[in-house]
Amino acid sequence: MEYRMVIMYVEIGCFVTCLCGWILVCSTLPTEYWTFSEAGTTVMTTGDYYSNLWRDCVSDSAGVSDCKEYPSMLALPVYLHAIRALAICAVITGFFGGVLTLIGMKCTKIGGSEIINSRVAFSGGITYLVSGFCGMITYSWWANRVVTQFVDPNYMDQKFELGAAVFIGWGGSILLLSGGTVLTYFSGKEGLPSRLSKGPRRPASYATARTRRTYMHPPPSSRVTLVPPLYYSDGRSQTTRGTTKTAPIQSWDTFV
């Protein structure tokens, strides 16, 4: 099996995993069972209290339930505003992560070249990681507060326990983190160039070092052409170096 085919199957698997995690995270927002509490001593007088980020609900033993929205948004505690913002960010970033991954996958052939597809898929994996971290912080923060109030002996108000939505959100966040990590690794390995080369770097040469002197011609005086000496029939010789000429050498009889 070719390497490209393996990467394509890995991208499909990561996309399906992250998509399932995003659906699980989205399903927890309208669910009321983030926390629940059961009050009553007998079956006839049992009442269930449960709540989520948006409302409080109560149901009696007859199956009649009533939900009430939080009366004032400004009167809510700060942690509840932060948890709401993180939950919404997890949903939004997960949606855009799915769009980027769908465009950058090799099987869709939408992004363009192989490098561009890998970089788009890498962006989708990073977005999925952000979505997973936002979701994990949301559910962990909510669970930590509920457990802290439950084990605190000085807390005199009604105590709640963790609902099913928190565990579903944890599972969805883990799927987002797992799929985003694998997708980011393989896409970044293929799409992002490695800046660290194992071999020695080539030193700058005259051709690569573009300075002002690179494009300047050397002065004409530095061009020297050596010509071998010329011998004539009468014994004279002449050596030419550039444009410089030497006087002819007289024969030996003239010096004697």
Side-chain angles (χ1 to χ4, degrees):
M1 186 178 296
E2 298 180 357
Y3 179 76
R4 185 180 184 279
M5 192 68 66
V6 174
I7 296 298
M8 184 178 67
Y9 287 143
V10 169
E11 289 178 350
I12 294 175
C14 293
F15 175 73
V16 174
T17 301
C18 294
L19 182 62
C20 294
W22 179 72
I23 293 175
L24 291 177
V25 170
C26 292
S27 65
T28 60
L29 293 184
T31 305
E32 286 83 8
Y33 289 94
W34 283 58
T35 57
F36 75 95
S37 177
E38 183 177 353
T41 56
T42 62
V43 178
M44 298 299 296
T45 59
T46 299
D48 296 332
Y49 298 90
Y50 47 93
S51 62
N52 62 356
L53 301 177
W54 320 102
R55 64 179 68 90
D56 290 327
C57 300
V58 59
S59 64
D60 54 11
S61 57
V64 179
S65 61
D66 185 21
C67 295
K68 181 181 179 181
E69 303 287 342
Y70 292 132
S72 176
M73 182 177 180
L74 298 179
L76 295 176
V78 177
Y79 85 95
L80 190 56
H81 287 290
I83 290 177
R84 283 181 175 183
L86 287 173
I88 295 175
C89 287
V91 174
I92 295 176
T93 53
F95 172 77
F96 284 106
V99 172
L100 292 174
T101 305
L102 190 63
I103 294 175
M105 292 172 61
K106 291 180 172 55
C107 59
T108 56
K109 299 180 180 179
I110 300 177
S113 63
E114 295 290 337
I115 300 298
I116 295 178
N117 283 341
S118 299
R119 292 177 180 178
V120 173
F122 178 79
S123 302
I126 294 295
T127 312
Y128 270 138
L129 287 177
V130 174
S131 177
F133 278 117
C134 289
M136 186 63 68
I137 294 173
T138 299
Y139 303 109
S140 300
W141 194 352
W142 181 273
N144 178 67
R145 187 172 182 84
V146 172
V147 172
T148 302
Q149 292 178 355
F150 187 84
V151 299
D152 188 6
N154 299 322
Y155 187 76
M156 305 306 297
D157 294 339
Q158 186 177 1
K159 296 183 178 182
F160 292 87
E161 298 182 8
L162 296 178
V166 178
F167 298 98
I168 295 175
W170 273 332
S173 300
I174 291 175
L175 291 178
L176 285 171
L177 292 175
S178 302
T181 301
V182 177
L183 181 62
T184 303
Y185 173 76
F186 284 98
S187 300
K189 184 179 180 181
E190 185 178 1
L192 300 180
S194 179
R195 296 184 178 181
L196 298 178
S197 58
K198 297 181 180 180
R201 298 183 61 183
R202 186 180 65 178
S205 61
Y206 179 79
T208 58
R210 297 184 177 181
T211 60
R212 186 172 179 270
R213 292 181 176 272
T214 305
Y215 304 98
M216 295 177 60
H217 295 285
S221 60
S222 61
R223 295 183 179 182
V224 179
T225 304
L226 298 178
V227 180
L230 302 177
Y231 297 93
Y232 298 95
S233 58
D234 56 354
R236 295 181 297 106
S237 64
Q238 180 180 359
T239 303
T240 304
R241 182 181 180 184
T243 57
T244 306
K245 296 183 180 180
T246 57
I249 302 176
Q250 300 178 359
S251 60
W252 181 257
D253 296 336
T254 59
F255 291 99
V256 177

